[in-house]
Structures are given as structure tokens and as C-alpha cells.
Amino acid sequence: GDRGRDGVQLTPSWQLLYGDAREVLKSLPSESVQCIITDPPYNIGKNFGRGKEYDNRLDYIDWLWSVWRECSRVAEKGSFLVYTNIIRHLRYAFYPPEPWVFRTVGVWHKPLSLGPTYYGIGLHWEPVIIWSKGTPWRPFRSLRVFSNVFIANVVSGTKRNGLREHPTVKPESLLHQLISFAAPPEGVILDPFVGSGTTVLVAKKLGRSAVGIDLNLKYLELARKRLEMVSLPLILPGSLGAQRIEETQPAMKGASNG
């Protein structure tokens, strides 16, 4: 969006795009986003609206890596790619497709995880893989330090009301932490597997621009409804930088572009 004289982004936008991630990504301009945060299918037989067989691919890593390659074209140099996955696939994350560079693995710690146990061990964490396109935009040393342990409970109970169409809704608090770390304040965030829209939703609450892609129209409609319920942030330039104040009135219909 346009920037004022104080460098404040005046027109953040939120877009939801329908289609296969690889095909939709081809339609986006090169180097048009500054951060990618996403939660791809884990290939564990979840039903994302097309049957469990679509999340049980023999070519899973090749397929996922093809998405990451197309993401690399769309991402600016210095962008982070941050994605969650399961321990089984973690070994592949150390060898990303070029030009992505492996940086580190964080931990999404779920204190109240409700998942199944394996031989008496409860699974209370998932890997958070962090790559960058070349040298990251963040300096190697800085005053602001983020933990590599991201603590957020799973979405369950009454919090799942209205979200039950999607089997793996991620908590807003997790996305808040990931966006705060990985996304430049005035950059565009991309989620090629946006699902129920949590990434774009949290971006909107933070006044950040975001683009979400998904192959399931029901999920995109759910995401659109969630975006419409969020008030637009009011940005006030001040001597110490931009201050964001949430409006008390709900956003007008059509505030999101999705």
C-alpha cells in the first residue's frame, strides 16, 4: 500500500485466493511478498474436504517441495518461510530446495495437547521449520530476541465453535508469535495453505497485509466470515512510531478482498 511521510503503510489489504497453491502462485508477481507463514497438510490422512486419500500421498515431499520452489519466486530476497509439520518429516527440512536456506527449527509447545499418546508418551510439540531466501531481513544480532519455543494451546472446546469444518485450525496466539518474528512490519504475508484463514485473520488484527490461498471453497468462505468480524486497526503516527488502536465497531462488509 501507499506510505505516508512517516513510513506508515496506509492501505493494508487482505486477499483470499481460490485454487491449487502451485497454480495460483504462478499468477502472483515475482518478489511480491516479504514473508511466508503456513501450515501445509501433514500427509497423515486428514480429510480437508476431498477425502483422506488426498492427504496420504506417496510423493508428499516432492509435492510440498514444488510448492516451496514456487514460493521462492514470489518471495523477496531476505524473506522467511516458516511452516509447521510433524516430526516424521523433520529430517527433510534440513535440506530445503534452493534458493531457500535452512536457518533453525523452533518448537510449537502445546501444554494442553489432546492428541493421542504413543507408548505412554503424549505429543505436546510440533516442529516449526524456519528457512530464509538468502540472508534474512532480520539482523544476525539485535536487541529484540524471540524464543524458539512458541507456546500456544490447540483450538478446542468452545473455541472450535464455528470452526469445526476445518480439522486442524491453528491458534491465533501461535500465528501472532510467528508473524511478529518473521514478517517485516510493512511487508505482505503469504499463506499458500490458508485453510480457515487464521494467518490472514491475525495479520488483519495486527494491521499487516496478507494473501491466503486454498483449494477448498468452504474453508475460504469460513475465512472470509472470520475476517469480516474483525475491526480494522486505526493507525496513528506518533513521535515513537505507529500506534495501533482497535476500533470498537465491527468492520464493514467487504473489508477483506477474499
Side-chain angles (χ1 to χ4, degrees), residues 38-40 64-65 68 81-85 93 127-131:
T38 193
D39 172 38
L64 188 58
W65 260 226
W68 300 152
L81 190 161
V82 180
Y83 72 98
T84 52
N85 214 291
V128 179
I129 293 100
I130 301 174
W131 297 345

Side-chain angles (χ1 to χ4, degrees), residues 34-70:
Q34 290 71 42
C35 175
I36 299 166
I37 300 176
T38 193
D39 172 38
Y42 291 177
N43 209 43
I44 54 175
K46 290 283 186 181
N47 186 352
F48 292 100
R50 297 195 302 158
K52 294 183 178 181
E53 64 273 14
Y54 286 93
D55 191 39
N56 190 20
R57 312 174 63 114
L58 295 177
D59 63 342
Y60 174 70
I61 295 299
D62 290 338
W63 167 77
L64 188 58
W65 260 226
S66 69
V67 177
W68 300 152
R69 289 189 185 95
E70 195 58 40

Side-chain angles (χ1 to χ4, degrees), residues 204-243:
K204 184 175 182 180
K205 289 184 175 182
L206 294 173
R208 311 287 191 94
S209 295
V211 178
I213 304 170
D214 207 89
L215 189 56
N216 188 308
L217 275 174
K218 287 186 177 180
Y219 296 164
L220 289 178
E221 177 62 19
L222 174 60
R224 184 186 66 80
K225 290 178 180 177
R226 296 178 76 192
L227 284 170
E228 285 186 347
M229 294 174 66
V230 174
S231 59
L232 295 171
L234 177 64
I235 302 175
L236 302 176
S239 58
L240 297 178
Q243 178 184 5

Side-chain angles (χ1 to χ4, degrees), residues 32 48 52 56 70 72 78 100 105 113 117 135 137 153 192 194 203 206-207 214 216 233-234 238 244:
S32 57
F48 292 100
K52 294 183 178 181
N56 190 20
E70 195 58 40
S72 71
W100 295 113
V105 174
S113 177
T117 62
T135 303
W137 67 270
N153 279 318
V194 76
L206 294 173
D214 207 89
N216 188 308
L234 177 64
R244 291 179 172 84

Side-chain angles (χ1 to χ4, degrees), residues 7 13 22 57 75 90-91 107 112 140-142 146-147 178 187 204 220 229 245 249:
S13 63
R22 291 177 296 181
R57 312 174 63 114
L90 180 58
R91 58 187 176 181
V107 169
L112 300 178
F140 185 66
R141 297 275 188 262
S142 65
F146 293 83
S147 172
L178 298 181
K204 184 175 182 180
L220 289 178
M229 294 174 66
I245 301 176
Q249 297 298 319

